[in-house]
Amino acid sequence: MSFQPLTDDQPEPSASVQARLAPPVRVLSAGPWTARLVGDELAHISFAGRPVLRAVKAVVRDQDWRTPQPSVRSVEIKQDDNGLHTRWTVVFAGYGVDYDAVLSAVFTPATVEISFEGTAAHGFRSNRIGLVVLHPPADAGKDITVEHPDGGSTASQFPLDVSPHQPLMDIAALEWADAGTAFRLSFTGDVFETEDQRNWTDASFKTYSTPLSRPFPVDIAAGDTVRQSVLLEAATLEPQEAVEAAAVAAAGDAGGPRVVTAHIGGESGRVPALAVVAGPQPGLLPAIPGLDAIVVELVEESGGAGQSESAGSGSDRSGWAAQLDAAAAAAAAVHGAGLDIRAVTADPAGAVAELAPYLAEAKRLAVFHPASHVTEPDSWQEFKASVRAAGFGGSLLAGTRAHFTELNRDSSRTPSDADALTFSITPQMHSTEAAHIIDSVPMQRLAALNALQLAGGRPVHVGPVTLLPRFNAVATSGDDAEAEADELQDQPFTAAWMLASISALTLDGVASVSYFEASGPRGISDVDGRLNPAGELLKQLAALRDSVVLSVEAGQADADAVTLYPVQSPEGLVIFAGNLSGAAVAVDVRLPDGAGAGDGDTALGRLDLGPWSAGVVRFPAADFPAPS
């Protein structure tokens, strides 16, 4: 098969991009335990080959919940008769924070103890400092016992559906069992609690220090020190020799060639409608036939000079007309698309005058309050009546401009008569590592499925989906900093991640998905109108809107990094492929029996995917006609 990259002009990754995609990894092994020191976090902690914890790491959050970038300065690893001892130093710097930390991990046959000691180099305001434990999403539904600081205990469970609030509180220790092994995780230095990070599409439940019920932010003085530790204990009925043998066998299974066999099956969905955010210069985006809409985010500023007369004394909507003019011109003249207007205003009904001239071109309209970032029910009915009276005949959306978290927590307040629901996605609310961005993809599907449950039969419009947050939904300082751009934006990695995201969100009921901005450092094209790999992917998939997507089954455990998205169109079979790993992968592609090949041969051939790559393979309709 001839695999074609999405763009001929692939950008050369910078040194920082290469370091981001392939951070230093140190494999640690001691008796039945294995783990990986990936950058600053102790990741993938396993016992006898069974995953136990996704990661343990230290975090420092500023007063707006932003995470200063951690930088590992030194690593020491020593092994003796008493076990394996690892020590690493980390400096957290950024957002006015300069913080030094020393972490250590000691492995013995029955325990792993991770300790943290951090000291502030100068004063700042912080919402959290200390250790966090990330539990794998596979723990959903698992029974667990919570031991409390007062000596009591509570029987509980990791939730199956995404929990809007903390499922485990007031934690001194956690106990659970898995495949004949009992585990105990105890904490010192603070009281801990657990939140469901799947709300933010993180692939984890997170147990963290300093309960949210305590006031924040707090003042940190130069020299202030935090000390914490977590102790993971394992007790098994199996002989120790058998446990260690299982660990060695599991470690050995990780090697070998990466060959994936993928079986393409029947219809599993339809290519969703795809949209893009206007951004500052939507006119730079080249034509994308089949594009559903251009999303225009209109944020009402606090009152001041230059505000429109109809905006009222407390708000400024004077820039809305220019944004709408630019987006409407690009949508209609260049793409043949509509507008998807998202207005952020404290006075939705009062904003209708600014929106009225553009409502005829709008497919969808949503309103959110600038403080809560959700559709507030107390102004909804007046807004709905006003906008319908102004002639809007499209779909009225309710929900949140922020994460699924806000939709989940405010579901009881979401207007029940909205035509559809909406929420946005960013994979870097808590972690910026490439591995966490990749792991967010199946959580996107879970969040969308939960949103469809909340919608009760109404469609869901997902997005904008962006690599970094468009705004800080949880800032406490009130500062409205400009959205940051990710250096990965124009890389093939982002196209491969976007393909995986589209595949995850190809669900019955997900009516549209919007991605990134039209142009610029957060966009799908550059200032000269050249599409980057993610832009070319969006262009090719937009042209296949509502075409049949075929199912894919890949049996290998290491197939998670590979995305195949087969689309059956009138022109033939189109297979989009992406590899979200730093190693080349060979994919043997097979069709169902009797499909596409003579003499009973169902093999399409071998598809060779390079590291961090995305591309497409096309087969003509003469060989693979669309089903009648």
Side-chain angles (χ1 to χ4, degrees):
M1 288 186 289
S2 179
F3 176 68
Q4 298 295 323
L6 291 167
T7 58
D8 294 330
D9 185 19
Q10 299 282 3
E12 189 68 27
S14 65
S16 60
V17 166
Q18 292 176 358
R20 181 106 170 269
L21 294 178
V25 177
R26 296 170 173 86
V27 178
L28 308 176
S29 179
W33 298 102
T34 59
R36 296 180 181 180
L37 187 59
V38 183
D40 66 303
E41 72 176 23
L42 190 67
H44 303 293
I45 302 173
S46 296
F47 181 83
R50 297 192 298 272
V52 181
L53 298 177
R54 170 65 179 80
V56 179
K57 62 188 299 182
V59 300
V60 177
R61 312 288 195 203
D62 78 348
Q63 63 180 339
D64 290 326
W65 292 105
R66 296 176 299 186
T67 303
Q69 187 65 33
S71 176
V72 178
R73 296 300 171 87
S74 66
V75 177
E76 299 175 8
I77 301 175
K78 297 179 181 179
Q79 193 152 17
D80 56 30
D81 294 340
N82 297 319
L84 179 69
H85 303 256
T86 304
R87 182 181 184 272
W88 62 105
T89 60
V90 183
V91 173
F92 297 85
Y95 307 115
V97 175
D98 190 357
Y99 198 88
D100 300 318
V102 177
L103 291 100
S104 64
V106 179
F107 295 78
T108 70
T111 65
V112 180
E113 184 172 20
I114 302 103
S115 301
F116 163 81
E117 181 174 317
T119 304
H122 57 71
F124 65 101
R125 288 172 65 76
S126 172
N127 289 344
R128 177 173 300 147
I129 298 174
L131 290 172
V132 298
V133 175
L134 305 183
H135 310 264
D139 281 353
K142 180 176 291 184
D143 293 328
I144 193 162
T145 299
V146 181
E147 294 185 10
H148 304 298
D150 64 3
S153 64
T154 302
S156 191
Q157 188 180 71
F158 283 112
L160 287 170
D161 288 335
V162 182
S163 175
H165 302 291
Q166 287 84 348
L168 309 176
M169 305 282 285
D170 195 28
I171 299 171
L174 299 172
E175 290 187 348
W176 69 96
D178 179 36
T181 300
F183 294 98
R184 174 181 170 83
L185 184 66
S186 54
F187 305 86
T188 60
D190 205 342
V191 177
F192 286 66
E193 62 191 25
T194 302
E195 70 184 7
D196 192 339
Q197 285 204 134
R198 300 176 301 172
N199 275 294
W200 295 272
T201 69
D202 293 64
S204 60
F205 302 95
K206 180 175 71 178
T207 300
Y208 57 89
S209 60
T210 314
L212 287 174
S213 58
R214 296 179 185 175
F216 63 85
V218 296
D219 291 321
I220 305 297
D224 282 357
T225 297
V226 173
R227 295 180 180 87
Q228 293 179 2
S229 66
V230 297
L231 177 63
L232 176 62
E233 303 171 84
T236 180
L237 298 177
E238 300 178 43
Q240 187 63 30
E241 294 80 2
V243 171
E244 294 187 5
V248 170
D253 291 342
R258 289 175 54 79
V259 179
V260 174
T261 301
H263 295 270
I264 297 177
E267 179 176 345
S268 65
R270 298 274 176 159
V271 177
L274 296 174
V276 66
V277 179
Q281 294 181 291
L284 295 178
L285 183 66
I288 298 183
L291 187 70
D292 177 62
I294 289 183
V295 178
V296 191
E297 292 192 286
L298 305 168
V299 180
E300 181 179 84
E301 305 295 340
S302 57
Q307 68 186 33
S308 60
E309 292 182 4
S310 60
S313 60
S315 60
D316 181 357
R317 298 190 286 266
S318 60
W320 285 18
Q323 291 177 259
L324 287 164
D325 283 339
V334 180
H335 309 286
L339 293 180
D340 183 333
I341 301 174
R342 312 290 178 95
V344 184
T345 172
D347 180 20
V352 172
E354 276 80 13
L355 302 177
Y358 308 93
L359 294 179
E361 302 167 75
K363 289 185 172 184
R364 298 182 285 275
L365 176 61
V367 290
F368 313 108
H369 195 279
S372 65
H373 308 296
V374 302
T375 306
E376 291 293 346
D378 57 356
S379 58
W380 170 257
Q381 294 302 330
E382 183 183 1
F383 167 73
K384 180 179 178 181
S386 299
V387 77
R388 292 300 188 197
F392 178 65
S395 181
L396 280 173
L397 313 186
T400 178
R401 67 186 291 243
H403 316 275
F404 174 71
T405 318
E406 283 73 26
L407 180 65
N408 202 15
R409 292 176 176 174
D410 286 283
S411 60
S412 63
R413 301 175 62 245
T414 304
S416 60
D417 57 345
D419 299 318
L421 298 187
T422 186
F423 70 97
S424 299
I425 289 175
T426 174
Q428 297 185 75
M429 176 62 183
H430 299 108
S431 298
T432 61
E433 294 86 354
H436 289 276
I437 298 174
I438 295 166
D439 288 346
S440 76
V441 170
M443 302 303 104
Q444 294 181 29
R445 187 178 186 90
L446 179 64
L449 287 168
N450 277 243
L452 288 167
Q453 291 181 19
L454 297 176
R458 293 171 291 173
V460 171
H461 295 269
V462 180
V465 180
T466 55
L467 285 179
L468 284 169
R470 307 181 329 278
F471 65 98
N472 191 339
V474 292
T476 64
S477 67
D479 293 339
D480 190 15
E482 182 180 354
E484 298 179 64
D486 196 305
E487 61 185 347
L488 297 173
Q489 183 68 45
D490 66 349
Q491 297 293 310
F493 168 91
T494 299
W497 181 82
M498 180 181 171
L499 177 64
S501 171
I502 291 174
S503 180
L505 296 172
T506 299
L507 294 166
D508 185 22
V510 172
S512 76
V513 190
S514 56
Y515 284 92
F516 308 128
E517 292 182 358
S519 63
R522 298 183 294 273
I524 62 172
S525 69
D526 63 18
V527 294
D528 294 320
R530 290 188 296 262
L531 292 172
N532 58 33
E536 186 60 37
L537 174 64
L538 189 141
K539 178 180 179 179
Q540 294 196 31
L541 279 172
L544 295 170
R545 175 180 173 178
D546 204 38
S547 294
V548 170
V549 179
L550 303 177
S551 65
V552 177
E553 290 187 8
Q556 284 74 4
D558 62 352
D560 292 344
V562 175
T563 301
L564 291 188
Y565 193 72
V567 180
Q568 183 72 69
S569 75
E571 289 73 34
L573 177 66
V574 185
I575 301 179
F576 295 88
N579 176 17
L580 281 171
S581 77
V585 180
V587 185
D588 287 330
V589 181
R590 296 185 174 274
L591 289 171
D593 290 342
D599 301 325
D601 183 9
T602 62
L604 280 177
R606 174 162 289 192
L607 186 60
D608 292 315
L609 305 180
W612 315 115
S613 64
V616 62
V617 181
R618 298 179 183 274
F619 300 91
D623 296 330
F624 297 95
S628 58

